[in-house]
Amino acid sequence: MVPFGSSPRGLLSSSDVDDLSAYARSRASAPPVLVPEASLTSYFQPIVSLRTGRSWGTEALARATHETLGTPLPPLDLFRNAEERGLLLELDRFCRRSAIELFAQSGADRDLLLSLNWDTRTLRRFDTDPAQLERVADRYGIPRGNIILEILERRVDDLDALVRFAQKRRREGFLIAVDDFGTGHSSAERLVRIEPDIVKIDRSLVQGVSTSHPRREACRSIAELARSIGAIVIAEGVEEDADLVELAMLGIDLFQGFLLARPGPDVKVVSAAAERAIEDKRGLLRARAERELLDRRENRRQHETTLVSIVTRLAHAGLPELDTAAEQALAAVSGLEALYVLDQRGVQLTNTWLQPGLVPRTGFRPTSAGADLGLKEYFLEVAHGAAAYASRPYVSMASGRLCVTHSRRVKLIDGSVVVVCCDLPSNTLE
Ligand code: G
Ligand code: MN
């Protein structure tokens, strides 16, 4: 614990902040001004890799305690207090330096990354000592490439300034992370402009991912977006087994959260705890992956039976009777939501027949004969060689419900070749 104090003038200069290191070590008690008698330290929370079973990095988190009472002071209060006093830059910087010091002294593995939060509100102030971070990192022998700067989700008036900041820090050799992505001000624009090395998916999206289809798809999209611009994805705030499993099934490898380890003062202790926790989950993850495979297989088998039955019925019709045949086939075969047939250019030959009694959601409407579906993947795939195709689950424009479209090339009794499309309800496992 080190007291965060100020010079007698009340405002810290950046060199004062640098001197705070010596001051902190001697525990000299300059009058603390931020929060009376506040002591500051850094806790560490591991980021663990499922693939390797090892801690990949650790995030430093500021922790403040009332010196005499020993009670914790919420870091948010502390930062608000500092901002009101114009000391945010100093506090933010002090936290990073304290984190680097403690990390360097922790004896953690050389390849463990250290993640530091950076409050973007400080960019509004002229930084009189921009080289402080490099100096401290170098002094403690931590390669800059092992230090991640997390750009916090905060309102930024000047995005250009933020982008310049990120570019400059990257040129210096640091890694850049966009923190809390998916909530508040952490927009997609920020992501494409900053092109971070790392994207941390915010816990507000992560929590409940196992029970919410939209949440899962949001995490999937963010993970895909991040990966496709070359960024590493971290899911933060993981608290539940089921969410961890779900995120792992989306291909996410790096996790941070109470489920794995709570933040603690000792880097090595929390890292080891997270490694044990992830090992404990391996059986669960494997069981889920296997169950999903079997469910998917069973689902495919059921779909196949339905499709064969539909195709057989339609193949007995000629082009002129196709619409009636489709209507009848749909009524006769259960488990189908919609049925429509396309010609070889992707133009609808039949109406879209919806399961009797199925009312489309407001704003959704089935297409009729003549509609051009030539750009749809379920058409293109089978038009260009595939014998059969199944889409990923998506919301059908015909019904507004989650479905999977299966398409098949089928030869009718009169020799004409058509593409039969069947929408089957999706339980999102496909
Ligand atoms: O904004 P940022 O992601 O840096 O916030 C980190 C904060 O989130 C820390 O205060 C940390 O204690 C907290 N935190 C870390 N893991 C979890 C978690 O699994 N659940 C919740 N609710 N908070 C967490
Ligand atoms: Mn963070």
Side-chain angles (χ1 to χ4, degrees):
M1 286 290 179
V2 292
F4 179 73
S6 103
S7 69
R9 293 185 307 282
L11 250 178
L12 289 160
S13 75
S14 40
S15 55
D16 287 335
V17 173
D18 233 70
D19 290 344
L20 273 175
S21 164
Y23 154 74
R25 276 197 298 273
S26 71
R27 295 183 60 83
S29 48
V33 292
L34 278 175
V35 175
E37 303 187 312
S39 285
L40 261 183
T41 190
S42 296
Y43 270 28
F44 296 90
Q45 189 179 33
I47 300 162
V48 67
S49 159
L50 178 60
R51 200 160 39 88
T52 65
R54 302 294 312 278
S55 284
W56 175 86
T58 197
E59 176 177 359
L61 299 159
R63 287 292 180 268
T65 317
H66 194 289
E67 274 253 286
T68 41
L69 299 179
T71 49
L73 296 164
L76 280 179
D77 289 354
L78 192 75
F79 278 85
R80 193 174 320 112
N81 194 322
E83 192 185 19
E84 281 161 10
R85 289 159 190 263
L87 285 169
L88 187 64
L89 184 72
E90 286 74 10
L91 177 63
D92 203 43
R93 181 183 273 169
F94 183 82
C95 290
R96 282 190 293 272
R97 120 164 263 132
S98 137
I100 291 175
E101 274 180 12
L102 291 167
F103 180 78
Q105 292 157 4
S106 73
D109 283 353
R110 291 277 304 169
D111 58 355
L112 192 73
L113 303 183
L114 171 64
S115 212
L116 303 172
N117 288 290
W118 201 293
D119 195 321
T120 49
R121 288 175 299 185
T122 62
L123 297 182
R124 275 185 233 144
R125 278 238 342 249
F126 178 69
D127 192 344
T128 50
D129 186 16
Q132 188 252 7
L133 182 68
E134 295 162 271
R135 216 167 45 236
V136 175
D138 294 353
R139 186 183 307 157
Y140 285 95
I142 301 176
R144 294 176 196 173
N146 281 16
I147 296 184
I148 303 165
L149 304 180
E150 297 192 15
I151 296 176
L152 296 180
E153 178 283 319
R154 287 272 150 69
R155 197 166 73 86
V156 172
D157 300 323
D158 189 351
L159 184 58
D160 288 340
L162 183 60
V163 172
R164 279 197 303 277
F165 165 80
Q167 285 169 343
K168 175 173 171 289
R169 291 304 182 181
R170 187 178 286 120
R171 274 199 305 277
E172 290 166 3
F174 298 103
L175 298 168
I176 301 294
V178 166
D179 200 6
D180 311 313
F181 189 75
T183 193
H185 302 282
S186 64
S187 67
E189 187 191 7
R190 218 181 254 198
L191 206 66
V192 299
R193 294 273 321 266
I194 293 176
E195 292 190 44
D197 303 289
I198 295 144
V199 174
K200 298 185 82 174
I201 309 181
D202 189 63
R203 63 169 171 271
S204 63
L205 285 177
V206 158
Q207 291 176 357
V209 75
S210 68
T211 51
S212 152
H213 176 70
R215 227 172 257 281
R216 178 168 44 230
E217 292 308 306
C219 287
R220 189 202 303 280
S221 305
I222 293 173
E224 278 174 7
L225 171 61
R227 284 194 287 254
S228 58
I229 62 169
I232 293 168
V233 182
I234 300 172
E236 65 177 17
V238 185
E239 291 185 3
E240 302 286 337
D241 281 347
D243 290 339
L244 175 76
V245 170
E246 203 61 51
L247 294 159
M249 297 303 289
L250 297 180
I252 294 173
D253 181 58
L254 295 172
F255 301 97
Q256 181 181 359
F258 291 171
L259 180 69
L260 303 159
R262 291 195 170 249
D266 188 320
V267 177
K268 280 174 36 179
V269 168
V270 289
S271 290
E275 290 171 2
R276 277 195 306 276
I278 204 95
E279 272 325 303
D280 281 353
K281 308 296 175 199
R282 237 172 245 291
L284 197 73
L285 286 156
R286 182 150 310 152
R288 163 63 192 272
E290 283 166 7
R291 183 155 34 82
E292 193 149 306
L293 175 84
L294 295 178
D295 283 358
R296 213 183 292 157
R297 225 179 247 173
E298 171 59 16
N299 234 20
R300 268 205 298 268
R301 202 188 56 74
Q302 284 175 16
H303 282 181
E304 188 57 30
T305 311
T306 310
L307 286 167
V308 167
S309 164
I310 289 283
V311 165
T312 314
R313 280 158 200 272
L314 292 183
H316 285 107
L319 262 189
E321 310 93 60
L322 202 53
D323 214 30
T324 324
E327 185 183 11
Q328 286 169 354
L330 185 85
V333 178
S334 64
L336 213 67
E337 223 166 78
L339 172 63
Y340 43 105
V341 184
L342 316 179
D343 70 11
Q344 294 194 74
R345 292 170 305 133
V347 174
Q348 236 178 288
L349 287 166
T350 68
N351 286 312
T352 300
W353 293 100
L354 285 188
Q355 191 188 76
L358 189 143
V359 180
R361 276 167 54 199
T362 316
F364 294 88
R365 193 173 299 163
T367 44
S368 312
D372 185 351
L373 302 179
L375 297 178
K376 300 281 187 188
E377 195 147 305
Y378 52 72
F379 165 73
L380 287 169
E381 280 283 350
V382 294
H384 294 281
Y389 171 82
S391 73
R392 285 189 22 81
Y394 71 105
V395 171
S396 150
M397 287 308 289
S399 65
R401 289 150 60 119
L402 209 52
C403 79
V404 178
T405 298
H406 288 261
S407 53
R408 296 276 155 105
R409 217 179 22 239
V410 177
K411 197 169 192 177
L412 301 181
I413 204 157
D414 58 12
S416 39
V417 176
V418 297
V419 175
V420 173
C421 304
C422 297
D423 290 354
L424 290 135
S426 163
N427 57 9
T428 76
L429 282 177
E430 290 83 355

